[in-house]
Amino acid sequence: MSPQVRALLIGLIGPLVQAVGVAWDLLEHGVFNPGGLEQITLQHIVSGPAHLMMGVGMVLSLICIPIAVQVAAAQPEELELPLPSRPTEDEPLFEGRSEPAEAIEQWQP
Amino acid sequence: MAALGYSGVLDAAASLPRHGGVTAGGSLPGHPFFGAMFLFVGALLVVEILAGPVWHRARWRTMLWPASLIVSGFGMLAVTAVQPDQKGLHLMLVVLLFIGGFFEARYRLGQITRTTADGFAIPALILGGFVIGPMHASGPITNPVALIHQFVGVVCWMLAGIRLMQYRWGSTAALDTTFGCGVMMLGLSLLLVQQFHGGH
């Protein structure tokens, strides 16, 4: 996957979550419970699932858009993660394999 | 908060509604906030896979997932303190969240291997699924609220299954992304609980 495609997906995840929240809210207030508009309370505004989803999408956008810019500017080899070792026929099935903790250290600048 | 004092904070928190319901005073329910948190962190887990090492350029981003588990544990501790019913179940969730957050943090700090962390995470997810689903759901299976609770439990078991697959076949981008999407689904299911519980 090219850096640009990754950046696009990263940048879109916040707006997508927001869009689902907006659609949910419109369905709830416009279709499933249109008469409930007169009974909206502060509690519903703050804790309504659709509203929270919109808020989450907004915060995701704030965090992910700068990441998307960095990813778009990165080289493809910078984005590849080190693959952990995979089991071979000689390794016992339930002994497990250790993903090297050093793999995380490789990501440190 | 300092001005309110410790007793004032407890009094305010005690006005939180019974589990999933709406009080006459209009206090805040707990499910949707946990749901929003898991939806948020699950999305960031997916972004972590897409961004690769770019994500880990900042240490705070690397530690976001275990930190959110630990913060959820403290949130659930508050729920245990103020909810008058099912304290045992909530306390069990507190312990499971702290265990998951602690060992995930140690793995991301490079102190333990993925295998060791999964040794605690997988049983915690399986037990969590039982606690949230069959043990926590009250009412017949035809009741939408009970059904959604069971669904939340099933999502926890799905996450345990994904971790088992990662243990057996090793981590791949597809499995890691699936785990992130599963956490998002967990968040969405908790938001759906509130959709059926609460009203305007």
Side-chain angles (χ1 to χ4, degrees), chain B residues 8-199:
Chain B
V9 171
L10 271 185
D11 285 340
S15 67
L16 284 170
R18 282 191 165 269
H19 196 66
V22 177
T23 61
S27 301
L28 296 175
H31 284 120
F33 294 102
F34 283 98
M37 199 279 303
F38 280 117
L39 181 67
F40 173 68
V41 175
L44 291 182
L45 283 174
V46 174
V47 170
E48 182 180 339
I49 301 306
L50 289 170
V54 172
W55 178 261
H56 297 280
R57 287 180 187 170
R59 177 66 74 101
W60 69 268
R61 287 199 295 253
T62 302
M63 301 306 292
L64 205 54
W65 169 230
S68 62
L69 288 173
I70 291 170
V71 166
S72 299
F74 281 112
M76 189 58 69
L77 202 57
V79 171
T80 308
V82 300
Q83 286 286 348
D85 58 338
Q86 300 190 340
K87 286 183 180 288
L89 291 181
H90 287 129
L91 198 56
M92 211 180 301
L93 287 175
V94 171
V95 172
L96 294 175
L97 285 165
F98 280 151
I99 285 173
F102 175 70
F103 286 101
E104 184 68 27
R106 291 199 62 196
Y107 163 69
R108 284 169 181 253
L109 288 170
Q111 296 170 359
I112 60 174
T113 63
R114 183 72 253 173
T115 303
T116 306
D118 284 344
F120 292 91
I122 293 169
L125 282 166
I126 293 172
L127 188 56
F130 273 110
V131 169
I132 296 171
M135 291 172 70
H136 203 35
S138 50
I141 199 71
T142 50
N143 184 318
V145 172
L147 202 57
I148 288 291
H149 269 288
Q150 302 282 10
F151 177 62
V152 177
V154 167
V155 172
C156 283
W157 292 333
M158 280 169 49
L159 291 174
I162 295 168
R163 276 282 186 244
L164 273 169
M165 288 171 70
Q166 288 172 316
Y167 170 81
R168 173 64 182 85
W169 285 289
S171 282
T172 64
L175 277 177
D176 291 344
T177 308
T178 308
F179 186 81
C181 292
V183 176
M184 289 180 75
M185 203 185 310
L186 180 66
L188 192 61
S189 60
L190 286 167
L191 289 170
L192 282 172
V193 166
Q194 179 56 25
Q195 183 68 30
F196 285 102
H197 263 298

Side-chain angles (χ1 to χ4, degrees), chain A residues 18-107:
Chain A
Q18 265 186 290
V20 171
V22 169
W24 185 343
D25 206 32
L26 287 174
L27 275 174
E28 185 182 1
H29 291 298
V31 177
F32 301 132
N33 191 17
L37 276 173
E38 295 101 22
Q39 301 159 12
I40 287 180
T41 60
L42 180 62
Q43 174 184 343
H44 172 70
I45 293 169
V46 170
S47 67
H51 303 162
L52 284 171
M53 197 171 234
M54 286 187 255
V56 165
M58 221 177 308
V59 177
L60 277 173
S61 298
L62 281 173
I63 293 179
C64 293
I65 289 173
I67 300 279
V69 170
Q70 291 179 36
V71 169
Q75 297 299 317
E77 51 274 8
E78 285 184 77
L79 298 175
E80 295 303 323
L81 292 171
L83 288 176
S85 60
R86 295 183 183 278
T88 65
E89 290 180 359
D90 295 328
E91 291 179 9
L93 181 65
F94 292 105
E95 192 168 308
R97 298 140 341 271
S98 299
E99 182 174 316
E102 296 80 19
I104 295 177
E105 291 177 3
Q106 293 177 26
W107 300 337

